[in-house]
Amino acid sequence: MEQLRELPGETAPAIEEPFLDFGDVPPARSASASDSPAPGKIVLKRVEDWRARFDEWRNEASRRFEGIDIAPDLAEDIGSRRWFRGLGTMLGLSAVALALWPDFAPLEARPAMAIDQTARDEFRSQMILPLALGADSGRQMGAGPRVIPLASAPERPQVELVATLSRGDSFERMLQRAGVGPSDAARVQELIAGEMPLDQIEPGTTIDITLGRRPAPGAARPLDDLSFRARFDLELEVLNDNGNLSLRRNVIRVDDTPLRIRGTVGQSLYRSARAAGAPSSAVQEFIKALDGQIDLERSVRATDEFDIIVAYRRAATGERQAGKVLYAGIDRDGKPKTQLMRWGQDGNFFEASGVGEQRGGMVSPVPGRLTSGYGMRRHPILGYRRMHSGVDFSARYGTPIVAVTDGRVAAAGRMGGCGIAVRLSHGNGLSTRYCHMSRMAVNSGQQVRRGQVIGYVGSTGLSTGAHLHYEMYRNGRAVDPRTVNFVTRAQLEGRELMSFRAALSELKMIEPGAALEDLELQPSEIAAPKREIEKIDNKRKIG
C-alpha cells in the first residue's frame, strides 16, 4: 500500500469522515444555511411511537369504512339495489344468529347414588326435624334387657296455663277450651255471675288457670285454682276445697287522685305535652278542647304554659289507668288565660265563668249536593207552581241524616206529603224538619246533639226518588236554611254554677306529678314470701 506523504509547502486535502445525524434541529439556524445535508452526513429519520402508528391506521380504516354502507336503512329507497343489499345483510346476520342458537337438550348429569336402607338411616340420624313432625331424628339407643317398659307415661301433677277471653265468647266455652271439665266450667261461671254481670268482663282479660291431677286415665283434670282481674279494683279467685269450688273476692285499694301535668308550650304543643309525660290520647283530647274555644295558631305563644289534668287511677298492686281530660288550661305570665273544665253528664267543657264550649255553625244534614233551592217552583208531581219551603239534597237511599245542631225532637213520624219526617226544636224560636226518610233513628222528646244520626234517606211521601227535603222555621215561619248560621253555647246558673266553681278550685289545688308516686303498701297488702330466697330479700329491721 502506498503511503501518502505531505510535500513541503503543500497542504493535504481534508478527508471528511462520515457521521450520523438523527435529524435533530438546532435551536438557532442561520437564514443562509442550506437545507441540503453536508457531504459525508448520513440522515436517519426518528422512528415514531407505535401508538401514533396505530392511531394513523385506525383513522385510515375509519375513513374507508365511512364510504361503505354496511347496514342501509330498510325504510328508505324500498326496492332499490341498496335496499336489497341491506335486506340480504339482515337475512345473513339472522341466519348466523340462528345457527349459533344454544341447544335446549338436557345436560348430562352424574348418575344418582344408590341409597340403601343403611345409608337412609344414616342420613336420617343427621337430620333435625321440627317438633310438629315428631322430632324423631338423631341417633337413638335401643333398649337393653334391663329396661322395663312402662304401662303408661306419668303426667304432671299440675298444669298451669293462661286463657284469654275473646270478644263475643262466653266464659264457660273459654274454660272448656282451656281444658276445664264441663261441670267445673259451669260451676265457675255460676259463681262469677253471682258476683258481677259477665258482660262487664272486658274482652282480652287473661285468666290464670291451674288444673290438678286426673282422677282416672282419660278423665278431665279438676280445677285447682282460677284467678283474674275482674275490674281495676277487684280480683276474683276460685279455689278448690276438697272438690268444692268457692269464690273469693280480693278488693284492691285504688287511689283516684287526678294527674296534673304542666310545661312550656315551646315549638310544638303536642310534642311538649308528650315530653312532659302526658298520654297521647289525653294530649289529643286536650288540643281538641282548646281548639273549639280559641285559635291555637294565633292565641298560643311558645312561652305560654299548658296545664292538663287527667283522670287517673293508681292501684296498690302497681297498675295505673289514665282516663279523660278533666281540665285544659293555658297560662301566660303566671296568670290563667284559658280555663276549661269538663262538667255535667254529657261531659262538655265549660269556661271558668260557667259558659259552655262554643258550638258554632250548622253541619250539613247529608253529604250530598244541593239540587233544589228555596222559593217558588213547579212541583214535579202535582204539576203546578207552589212554594218550595226548603231545600233538597241529593243522596242515596239509606244515607244517614244528622242533626244540623243541638236540639230536642219535637215530632217524629209521618207528616203528610213529607212522608216519614223528624222535626227538631233548637230553642230561641228556631226549628228544622227533615222529610222523606226511609226510617227514623230518634223518638219524640229525645235530646240530640249536632252530628247525631236522626234518620236515613228515603222516598216516602210526595217524592220522585230518594233525597232529603230539609226545612228551617223561625218563630213558626219558613225561612231559607242557607241564610241561617247560628251558634249555641250552654250557660251554668245558680247552684250549678257554684258547684262548678267549687270543683274547679278543688281541681286546681292538685300538685303537678303527685299522682305519679307509688301507693304506700299497707301491712295487709304485703304478700307473704313463698320461697326461701324471698324471705332473705324481705329482711326486717330491728332497733
Side-chain angles (χ1 to χ4, degrees):
M1 177 180 297
E2 296 183 355
Q3 298 180 355
L4 297 177
R5 294 182 179 179
E6 182 179 355
L7 297 178
E10 296 182 359
T11 302
I15 302 176
E16 298 179 357
E17 297 181 358
F19 62 93
L20 297 178
D21 184 359
F22 289 92
D24 291 338
V25 180
R29 187 174 182 180
S30 175
S32 61
S34 176
D35 293 337
S36 60
K41 183 178 181 181
I42 302 175
V43 180
L44 297 178
K45 293 184 178 180
R46 182 177 297 276
V47 179
E48 297 179 353
D49 188 66
W50 64 272
R51 293 186 181 88
R53 288 186 293 172
F54 175 75
D55 292 340
E56 183 180 356
W57 175 81
R58 185 183 60 181
N59 294 335
E60 182 64 24
S62 298
R63 285 193 298 270
R64 292 186 179 181
F65 277 111
E66 286 179 358
I68 303 176
D69 194 4
I70 300 178
D73 189 356
L74 297 181
E76 299 178 356
D77 301 334
I78 300 176
S80 62
R81 295 180 58 185
R82 177 174 174 273
W83 185 85
F84 279 107
R85 179 167 55 83
L87 179 62
T89 303
M90 184 192 69
L91 295 177
L93 294 176
S94 301
V96 173
L98 293 175
L100 300 178
W101 193 267
D103 191 7
F104 289 99
L107 299 176
E108 295 183 2
R110 185 176 180 181
M113 180 178 63
I115 300 178
D116 54 4
Q117 186 63 32
T118 303
R120 187 176 291 105
D121 293 341
E122 182 66 22
F123 288 153
R124 184 175 180 80
S125 66
Q126 300 179 19
M127 295 169 57
I128 301 178
L129 291 179
L131 293 175
L133 299 181
D136 57 348
S137 58
R139 296 185 180 276
Q140 301 179 5
M141 183 179 294
R146 296 188 178 183
V147 176
I148 301 176
L150 297 176
S152 60
E155 292 185 339
R156 295 181 180 180
Q158 282 188 338
V159 176
E160 297 180 354
L161 49 91
V162 178
T164 303
L165 181 63
S166 303
R167 186 178 300 275
D169 197 3
S170 69
F171 207 88
E172 184 177 0
R173 286 198 304 267
M174 179 268 301
L175 293 178
Q176 292 183 6
R177 285 198 307 271
V180 181
S183 59
D184 289 346
R187 177 56 180 165
V188 169
Q189 180 169 330
E190 180 183 356
L191 291 173
I192 296 176
E195 181 63 29
M196 61 177 298
L198 294 177
D199 55 0
Q200 292 185 2
I201 302 177
E202 295 291 336
T205 302
T206 57
I207 295 92
D208 297 327
I209 301 174
T210 302
L211 301 178
R213 191 186 299 274
R214 299 180 190 272
R221 289 179 176 268
L223 178 66
D224 281 358
D225 185 81
L226 181 146
S227 62
F228 69 99
R229 194 70 168 263
R231 292 195 306 265
F232 189 76
D233 58 348
L234 178 63
E235 181 183 21
L236 297 181
E237 185 176 7
V238 178
L239 303 176
N240 190 339
D241 185 12
N242 296 328
N244 297 322
L245 298 179
S246 60
L247 181 68
R248 185 172 66 182
R249 300 173 72 254
N250 299 326
V251 180
I252 301 173
R253 185 167 57 94
V254 175
D255 180 71
D256 294 330
T257 302
L259 174 62
R260 187 175 187 180
I261 302 173
R262 293 177 60 91
T264 305
V265 173
Q267 298 297 327
S268 172
L269 177 59
Y270 180 85
R271 293 181 180 178
S272 300
R274 290 286 289 138
S280 58
S281 59
V283 178
Q284 294 175 4
E285 193 174 359
F286 170 77
I287 295 177
K288 183 179 179 181
L290 291 179
D291 188 51
Q293 186 70 22
I294 61 176
D295 188 352
L296 292 177
E297 296 183 358
R298 299 181 179 180
S299 301
V300 179
R301 302 176 183 174
T303 55
D304 293 345
E305 294 184 352
F306 60 86
D307 193 355
I308 309 174
I309 300 180
V310 184
Y312 202 69
R313 307 182 74 190
R314 294 178 296 167
T317 52
E319 293 83 5
R320 300 170 185 271
Q321 187 180 62
K324 296 182 178 181
V325 174
L326 302 178
Y327 174 83
I330 295 292
D331 296 348
R332 179 173 298 170
D333 299 331
K335 298 180 180 180
K337 182 178 181 296
T338 302
Q339 298 183 84
L340 298 176
M341 191 182 76
R342 191 183 296 273
W343 185 258
Q345 297 181 352
D346 296 335
N348 297 329
F349 282 95
F350 287 80
E351 296 180 0
S353 59
V355 179
E357 59 181 327
Q358 175 175 320
R359 305 182 63 83
M362 295 182 297
V363 298
S364 177
V366 290
R369 61 185 181 88
L370 194 68
T371 57
S372 182
Y374 178 87
M376 296 295 296
R377 71 163 189 176
R378 182 181 182 84
H379 197 279
I381 296 179
L382 301 179
Y384 59 87
R385 290 179 59 83
R386 59 180 291 183
M387 183 64 182
H388 188 230
S389 59
V391 293
D392 292 343
F393 289 91
S394 174
R396 293 184 178 181
Y397 188 91
T399 302
I401 304 172
V402 300
V404 295
T405 190
D406 299 346
R408 181 182 60 84
V409 181
R414 287 197 171 270
M415 301 182 186
C418 273
I420 300 177
V422 172
R423 189 184 185 99
L424 302 181
S425 176
H426 307 286
N428 297 325
L430 289 174
S431 62
T432 54
R433 188 167 69 160
Y434 311 80
C435 302
H436 307 309
M437 293 183 177
S438 59
R439 58 190 177 95
M440 300 177 300
V442 292
N443 298 318
S444 181
Q446 179 179 343
Q447 294 288 337
V448 295
R449 296 179 60 85
R450 182 177 64 169
Q452 180 178 342
V453 176
I454 60 175
Y456 300 89
V457 172
S459 185
T460 57
L462 293 178
S463 172
T464 57
H467 73 287
L468 170 66
H469 176 75
Y470 168 60
E471 298 176 348
M472 177 171 286
Y473 294 88
R474 174 180 288 151
N475 298 325
R477 299 184 59 182
V479 295
D480 189 351
R482 295 172 295 180
T483 62
V484 179
N485 187 19
F486 50 87
V487 175
T488 60
R489 303 190 72 176
Q491 176 70 49
L492 300 179
E493 298 176 351
R495 291 183 176 272
E496 189 175 11
L497 179 59
M498 295 176 60
S499 301
F500 171 80
R501 289 179 175 175
L504 178 61
S505 300
E506 183 180 356
L507 200 61
K508 296 193 68 175
M509 293 294 292
I510 300 174
E511 293 293 332
L516 295 177
E517 299 179 1
D518 294 332
L519 291 178
E520 185 177 355
L521 295 180
Q522 299 178 357
S524 60
E525 296 172 345
I526 300 176
K530 298 180 180 180
R531 300 179 301 174
E532 294 298 326
I533 189 64
E534 295 176 351
K535 296 179 181 180
I536 297 177
D537 294 338
N538 297 333
K539 297 180 180 179
R540 292 186 303 170
K541 294 184 179 181
I542 301 177

